[in-house]
Amino acid sequence: MSPSLEARGLTRRFGTFTALDHLNLKVDGAKCVGFLGPNGAGKTTALKMFTDLIFPTEGEAFVNGVSVQQDRKRALAACGVLIETPEIYGSLTPREALEMVGRLRGMAPKEVRDRTDEVLAEVRMSEWTDQKVGRFSKGMKQRVNIASTLLSDPEVLLLDEPSTGLDPRGVSEVRDIIRGLKRGRRLVFFSSHLLSEVVDVCDEVALLNHGKLLFYDSLANVTSRFVGGATDVSVEFLGPVADDLVKGSIATMPGVQACTRQDPTHLTLTIAGGPPAKARVLEGLVGLRTGLVGFKESRSALEEVYLSQVTDGES
Amino acid sequence: MSAIPVAANPAVGTESARAAGTIPGTLAQALLLSRYQLRDYLRARRFVLMMAIVGVLGAIITLVLAIYRTSDVVQGLTGSSDAFYGSFWGGGVYVVIIFAGIIFGGDAIAGEFQNKTGYFLMGLPIRRTSVYVGKFLAALAASVVAVLFFLAILVANGAYYLGANGFPLALLVSFGIALLYLLALLGSVFLFSSMFKNSLYAVLVVAVLFLFGFTIIEDLIVGLVKIEPWFIIDYARSVLAYPFTSPLPAHITTMTGPGGRTFTSYNPTYAEGLAIMAGYFVLTAVAGLFLFEREEFT
């Protein structure tokens, strides 16, 4: 059976405020799904209901077909969970904290020891294995939290903004970890504010706004559906580019939908057709021999989708 | 950074079935958790603080006995094991128990929410009952260590002053009653801790109630309403000294004072005192668990 997550009419109201409004979502199979949305969209609320930290007003959440609300222990047996930035008992060392997690999960002592060494190495905390967690920085604690999430090699991972509290290097390392996890037969479901992170590691995205699911689809389908796959590319030249060259050659290149001059040396090109079209335009620009020094996406397709949908949702 | 070797694990798809089957039962998880929680308690400053409180208490008793050993009062206390332990153990161990309850139990549940340690535990496949019971057992064990330390100080003094009679059987009986009182107190403390998501409020309420709140309420009930305060745990604690007391005090005593006014004082019977403690333990533990089961990590 492949790993799965399902929300059936999952709703949560806090007084008159509806934090999550009838979320119906089924994520099936080994993949990485990004859960996007602005602050207050309902992402953490949904993840907390998937892990029984809060209770739904209506509806139910399932992990591998087991209701979290009916049998949290069996439902979460297959899950590695990281919600917010948990604190670990300050007097314990990472080794002891992970030993506790492993034993509570029913892992054999030797397996716990071996996996503890592996996952602490993975999050670059090997040299802190026997130091008390209470002395750690927020970022170090989050690394131990990530290690504890991975300890039992779970087939479903629920991560709520796992990069929170990490420095840029830590953010990059977490991204690498998630990318590595994708290679297993597991389902990774994580919320993030970082669109670049989602683009980098996710196969599918779900966008939530005002407690409602706006869409859930593959990254490719989402971008082609909402922005026709077009992306803005910022182009920089060594010196000023003549108007006739811009209008006559660059704006008419295959794939270029629009061409806007930002200043004498900078243009913004809207290119449709995905990476192949971008490659052709880049080759064309190089062929013009105009001193091309920069060719960079100014905004990802997902960013375009996010901004258009979230803005629409708010209006 | 290298990736975790998950791709090499072809059995991961069936892991949920495997994992669900090997996860320890509710009680086993509670015992496991209590081990690590106790380890955390024993290493924390709060344990040093508790031991210091008991140490100061023991030092005061030891010094007073040594300095005033020739006085009639102290000679009366050190003349028999019943008088000695009835006064120092029966009349003093409740203070140790109350401080232990506050220090180890006051923030036990509230702290899970406020300090976010709950997020670390509650993402695991574990019932809330296991978390509650595990933390209760750890607080109980840490408190018992403090009570045993107090007992050791008294027994050392007892052995010095009483010689062969320094460790009477009645002390074991009273120790058993003290454990029941500790259970009742921790049950109540955990209930208050479950009511709050803020450790400070939980500790303050528990400290105020158990250090003097219940005593004031008991006095008001007896003095104004003139009924037996059988529903207040404070009332039951005089039973701690009963193993050293013979005959036991009268259950109800009525005296006529100036102007013909009558004053009634109450003492719990042995059975009544034990029943109050047991009742407090069961009711507050169940109520606390009920609250914790419904508390949300918002």
Side-chain angles (χ1 to χ4, degrees), chain A residues 12 48 52-53 55 72-73 84 87 89 91 96 99 104 122 150 152-153 155 173 183 185-186, chain B residues 2-3 6 9-10 12-13 15-16 24 29 36-37 40 43 112 115-116 119 122 126 296-297:
Chain A
R12 178 60 204 236
K48 283 184 177 179
D52 200 39
L53 288 170
F55 313 123
R72 80 178 313 271
K73 193 171 172 181
E84 297 200 356
E87 285 290 329
Y89 296 133
S91 301
E96 288 167 335
E99 184 187 275
L104 287 172
E122 184 64 26
L150 304 175
S152 64
D153 204 11
E155 59 178 340
E173 286 168 2
R183 289 203 286 271
R185 291 173 55 195
R186 75 183 65 238
Chain B
S2 64
V6 287
N9 182 1
V12 80
E15 187 168 311
S16 60
Q29 282 187 321
Y36 291 94
Q37 179 73 65
D40 184 53
R43 289 176 185 169
E112 291 293 312
N115 306 330
K116 292 197 170 186
Y119 285 91
M122 297 310 296
I126 184 169
E296 294 187 302
F297 289 81

Side-chain angles (χ1 to χ4, degrees), chain A residues 1-8 25-28 46-47 49-52 60-81 154-158 187 189, chain B residues 16-17:
Chain A
M1 197 178 89
S2 60
S4 69
L5 277 176
E6 187 178 0
R8 286 186 204 156
L25 175 70
K26 183 159 188 187
V27 183
D28 218 344
L47 283 169
M49 284 193 281
F50 268 116
T51 50
D52 200 39
E60 222 169 339
F62 298 84
V63 178
N64 290 348
V66 181
S67 166
V68 175
Q69 281 68 40
Q70 301 292 323
D71 190 351
R72 80 178 313 271
K73 193 171 172 181
R74 205 155 70 88
L76 297 182
C79 282
V81 173
E155 59 178 340
V156 177
L157 275 167
L158 290 165
L187 172 59
F189 190 79
Chain B
S16 60

Side-chain angles (χ1 to χ4, degrees), chain B residues 51-74:
Chain B
M51 290 297 119
I53 289 171
V54 176
V56 167
L57 214 59
I60 291 170
I61 291 171
T62 307
L63 282 173
V64 167
L65 286 173
I67 294 168
Y68 299 103
R69 58 185 306 174
T70 54
S71 76
D72 291 346
V73 177
V74 171

Side-chain angles (χ1 to χ4, degrees), chain A residues 9-13 18-24 41 210-213:
Chain A
L10 209 55
T11 303
R12 178 60 204 236
R13 294 185 202 97
T18 303
L20 196 67
D21 192 359
H22 294 92
L23 175 69
N24 286 299
H210 293 300
K212 291 190 174 179
L213 183 69

